Amino acid sequence: MDNLLLLIPHLLLMISLNMVFSFGNLNRDFEITWGDGRAQILSSGELLTLSLDKASGSGFQSKKEYLFGKIDMQLKLVPGNSAGTVTAYYLSSKGSAWDEIDFEFLGNLSGDPYILHTNVFSQGKGNREQQFYLWFDPTADFHTYSILWNPKRIIFYVDGTPIREFKNLESKGVPFPKKQPMRIYSSLWNADDWATRGGLVKTDWSQAPFTASYRNFNAATKGAGWPSQELDAASQERLQWVQKNYMIYNYCTDTKRFPQGFPLECTTTTT
């Protein structure tokens, strides 16, 4: 009995840790939407894979819609020569005035870095692209890609490091996604007309099928501080480190694209 009493605190700690770090079952949270068998949920819901060949790509979506939250997913991207392929992972609503928060991973020739493309749409308007290289090989192992979305800001994270923040500037006349619930979507598809070096490098179909893998999805929609979360000083430093060393495109500095002046959010705050 004494030994059992000694074990109780340890057991309670284990239960608490499991509650904090528990992950969803992909069978429960997602449904395959297209691909004619090229998408699969495996290992009793612990792993999801998307594949692309010359005939078709594949995709899935969440069964639930989300209005704000902290969304985490671990991805392992297409290895080797993935030029021409795009792995898209994003939140989106429906309709002509849709909202959307995008991660897109643009494939590469073997040995070249992947490009992580991000965008934010509000009321059907996007054109807010920022692109990054990653500081690791995203094909060698799983890495966590997260979106924090609350009424004040959207923050993109890679392995817990913030790479981009888009603030709510409605007071300045900039629409912000805050009223339309969004589903999670992902797809693996051929975009060799633009994805790699502006379409100069085409998909090598002898490398097909191309496969991306997903696991450890988690959606925090209550509590955990995310409704009012913002970047503290240390996180701001990490964000600046990423943007200084790994950002390769920022619409807010593209003078050729915006000769008449930058979008309003670019001139009122760092996004």
Side-chain angles (χ1 to χ4, degrees):
M1 187 67 179
D2 289 342
N3 289 337
L4 180 59
L5 290 173
L6 289 172
L7 282 172
I8 286 175
H10 180 66
L11 292 171
L12 289 173
L13 176 61
M14 290 180 64
I15 291 169
S16 174
L17 288 172
N18 285 332
M19 290 174 64
V20 171
F21 295 105
S22 64
F23 295 103
N25 181 298
L26 297 173
N27 262 319
R28 183 191 66 204
D29 295 312
F30 295 96
E31 56 189 359
I32 293 168
T33 49
W34 64 285
D36 194 23
R38 291 172 179 81
Q40 299 183 73
I41 299 177
L42 307 167
S43 302
S44 301
E46 293 183 2
L47 180 69
L48 191 157
T49 60
L50 295 182
S51 291
L52 163 70
D53 58 32
K54 197 168 186 178
S56 178
S58 53
F60 66 86
Q61 70 179 36
S62 63
K63 294 180 179 179
K64 295 180 180 179
E65 293 182 321
Y66 301 89
L67 184 61
F68 306 128
K70 175 75 161 27
I71 308 295
D72 304 310
M73 180 76 89
Q74 290 191 327
L75 280 73
K76 183 163 66 171
L77 301 180
V78 176
N81 179 2
S82 59
T85 71
V86 172
T87 305
Y89 173 67
Y90 59 103
L91 293 167
S92 184
S93 63
K94 296 292 188 181
S96 59
W98 78 99
D99 296 334
E100 188 171 311
I101 305 169
D102 291 344
F103 278 118
E104 288 187 307
F105 303 90
L106 311 186
N108 62 343
L109 288 169
S110 299
D112 288 349
Y114 253 86
I115 292 176
L116 170 53
H117 176 100
T118 66
N119 204 350
V120 176
F121 287 75
S122 52
Q123 298 180 18
K125 181 182 180 298
N127 299 324
R128 299 185 176 103
E129 300 91 346
Q130 291 184 356
Q131 294 182 340
F132 306 83
Y133 288 143
L134 295 167
W135 49 95
F136 52 83
D137 178 359
T139 74
D141 203 352
F142 286 90
H143 291 269
T144 303
Y145 302 91
S146 307
I147 294 168
L148 172 77
W149 173 35
N150 66 30
K152 297 289 185 68
R153 56 187 41 84
I154 296 164
I155 305 174
F156 296 77
Y157 292 89
V158 176
D159 286 337
T161 294
I163 65 168
R164 177 177 185 178
E165 180 180 24
F166 185 83
K167 293 181 179 178
N168 184 337
L169 293 173
E170 288 179 307
S171 62
K172 306 294 185 181
V174 180
F176 184 83
K178 70 173 191 179
K179 294 181 179 178
Q180 301 186 75
M182 297 196 250
R183 291 188 191 274
I184 301 163
Y185 298 89
S186 190
S187 58
L188 175 56
W189 51 291
N190 178 43
D192 67 3
D193 57 333
W194 66 271
T196 306
R197 296 181 184 171
L200 294 176
V201 183
K202 301 302 181 182
T203 304
D204 180 358
W205 292 112
S206 70
Q207 304 295 312
F210 304 98
T211 301
S213 302
Y214 303 73
R215 72 179 188 189
N216 287 353
F217 166 73
N218 190 48
T221 56
K222 296 180 180 179
W226 67 260
S228 58
Q229 187 172 332
E230 57 185 352
L231 296 176
D232 60 17
S235 295
Q236 288 282 3
E237 287 185 9
R238 293 291 289 172
L239 176 70
Q240 291 168 11
W241 172 78
V242 171
Q243 296 196 343
K244 178 181 177 181
N245 293 287
Y246 295 98
M247 179 184 283
I248 57 173
Y249 178 79
N250 181 5
Y251 76 111
C252 281
T253 61
D254 191 340
T255 54
K256 291 182 179 179
R257 185 175 174 189
F258 300 105
Q260 305 304 317
F262 292 117
L264 187 58
E265 67 269 18
C266 298
T267 58
T268 54
T269 187
T270 300
T271 59

